[in-house]
Amino acid sequence: MCETEEKDLYAVLGASPTDSVQQLRHRYQQLALKYHPDRLGVELSSEAESAVSKFVEVNSAWRVLGEQNTRRRYDTQRKEQELKQDKPVDSTVHLEDMTWDQDELIYTYGCRCGGGFGLSQEEVEEETRLMQPEDKEEGMDTKTLGVLVCCDTCSLSIYVTWSLSKKTEIFK
Ligand SMILES: [Zn+2]
């Protein structure tokens, strides 16, 4: 039930504001390749249409974030907006603090409205796979990952984080 307001350009690229421009470029290239209209064939299915709009979105995000000056300007705007807005994120919750539901294969967490947050194991695995540090990168033994999870009832969301380390097995 999260209202999607203005899209965060970093989120569009699946990146974080602390990522280097090399990391951003890498994400951009992956996504541009994935959604490139040339890969979609001729028929205009709704799937193809959504890929096209995703492609446009990814490109415009990269146009801003790929350039030092425009990125800096965007970062400033973004910070100002964050300060102005009531932050929609209610809190940060560690994955280990969520309740594991063995039947549904989902992590759950109660919202103060009485509703709840749910994060499927699939999503955790997908995010972990996407954000897997490349072996070449140094000093990346542990990395904190996270996703925004929306309450199923109200407009609150929580940021669920977990650490990714080559030595740690996070799945139960
Ligand atoms: Zn709620």
Side-chain angles (χ1 to χ4, degrees), residues 33-94:
L33 206 65
K34 181 171 171 193
Y35 295 112
H36 199 283
D38 286 356
R39 286 168 53 94
L40 298 168
V42 279
E43 79 270 41
L44 266 181
S45 60
S46 61
E47 203 181 315
E49 273 174 47
S50 82
V52 168
S53 65
K54 186 86 188 161
F55 183 70
V56 170
E57 200 176 274
V58 163
N59 267 301
S60 46
W62 172 244
R63 217 172 293 141
V64 173
L65 299 181
E67 180 73 49
Q68 212 185 17
N69 286 332
T70 47
R71 181 181 179 184
R72 204 176 296 146
R73 208 177 309 142
Y74 175 71
D75 282 345
T76 313
Q77 280 174 2
R78 197 169 166 276
K79 253 178 229 148
E80 280 169 4
Q81 243 174 20
E82 263 182 12
L83 290 176
K84 260 187 254 161
Q85 269 171 4
D86 246 358
K87 253 193 152 186
V89 177
D90 191 37
S91 57
T92 300
V93 174
H94 279 277

